[in-house]
Amino acid sequence: MSTAVPAWAAADSYTAALRAGRGPLFLRREDGWLLPLEVERWCARADAADLDVLDRCEGTVLDVGCGPGRLVAELARRGRAALGIDVSEAAVGHAVRLGGQALRRSVFEPLPGEGRWGTVLLMDGNVGIGGDPRRLLDRVTRLLRPGGLLIAETAPVDVDERAHVRVVDAPGTRAAGAPFPWARVGTPALLRHARGWEPAGRWAADGRSFVALRGRSASSRAEPPKSTAVISSQRAGKPSGDSPVASR
């Protein structure tokens, strides 16, 4: 069943920021607290910290919440099989124009290659998607192949919080649409939530924090469900062979 696209994904402020390649843009909690969003970095080419993450990826790569697509575009330049997913049409369009493969889809909807991805990425705070890290980790387990790798970017402070937020382009701006659930999770909290995962590394670069987790082996997980979804922002052909990524 399809998941409703959050109102912020089509918000004028978010779309305008992606098109311009710059902010300001914030997540605003209902108590007024603001989290700046790094639009300029997201719209630029992959930086040194990003490249280090991509060097650690194994097999086919699924970038959850790919945004404007700097990571899937870099993986495409490397000849790696990769797919980005994002709920924002503007973000998916930007990723495709950069040369990456991308699909407008929520991580909680059916996806291509379920149970066969070698690596799942949760970058740029996307471990907060849905406001429930344990639920998200459980979903990622079903996306990865047995023993697959999750690389998550965590908050650079020790935090574990849930909130409802809105996207705004200035502190006093009235945000359109309903608030949506989000989480901020530091490395210690993510490791607490990652029951059943094997820690596979943690590191910091350029003020950013990362964790690698190894998924369950074939002997300790149920058979993953098969997905009939295909890549479409430009609806693509069905995946074939061992690769979960359809060719355009």
Side-chain angles (χ1 to χ4, degrees), residues 45-237:
R45 288 193 63 160
D47 62 20
D50 295 329
L51 296 177
D52 180 51
V53 167
L54 299 185
D55 288 342
R56 298 169 189 257
C57 291
E58 302 171 357
T60 54
V61 181
L62 178 67
D63 183 8
V64 174
C66 67
R70 73 188 190 281
L71 302 180
V72 288
E74 176 61 30
L75 288 166
R77 283 190 285 269
R78 297 181 178 198
R80 295 286 299 274
L83 171 68
I85 60 168
D86 203 287
V87 294
S88 164
E89 183 176 7
V92 168
H94 194 287
V96 171
R97 288 191 295 275
L98 286 182
Q101 290 204 67
L103 167 67
R104 190 183 186 193
R105 193 71 56 85
S106 164
V107 66
F108 298 110
E109 293 181 294
L111 294 172
E114 297 208 10
R116 291 189 285 132
W117 293 98
T119 302
V120 169
L121 297 176
L122 289 171
M123 297 283 280
D124 304 323
N126 285 330
V127 71
I129 288 173
D132 185 342
R134 286 184 179 171
R135 178 185 179 223
L136 182 57
L137 288 171
D138 286 345
R139 175 60 176 141
V140 171
T141 297
R142 298 193 297 274
L143 295 171
L144 284 169
R145 69 189 182 196
L149 189 68
L150 166 64
I151 301 179
E153 182 173 353
T154 56
V157 293
D158 187 2
V159 63
D160 188 4
E161 66 179 21
R162 315 286 178 274
H164 279 77
V165 298
R166 302 172 190 256
V167 174
V168 298
D169 57 13
T173 302
R174 182 180 179 84
F180 57 92
W182 195 256
R184 289 181 69 231
V185 183
T187 294
L190 181 60
L191 294 175
R192 288 195 300 271
H193 291 307
R195 295 178 298 194
W197 293 80
E198 177 185 347
R202 52 191 291 184
W203 65 99
D206 296 334
R208 299 162 63 191
S209 299
F210 304 91
V211 175
L213 298 168
R214 181 75 58 189
R216 300 182 185 97
S217 65
S219 61
S220 62
R221 59 180 282 184
E223 183 69 20
K226 298 195 181 299
S227 170
T228 58
V230 295
I231 295 177
S232 77
S233 48
Q234 327 7 0
R235 182 79 50 180

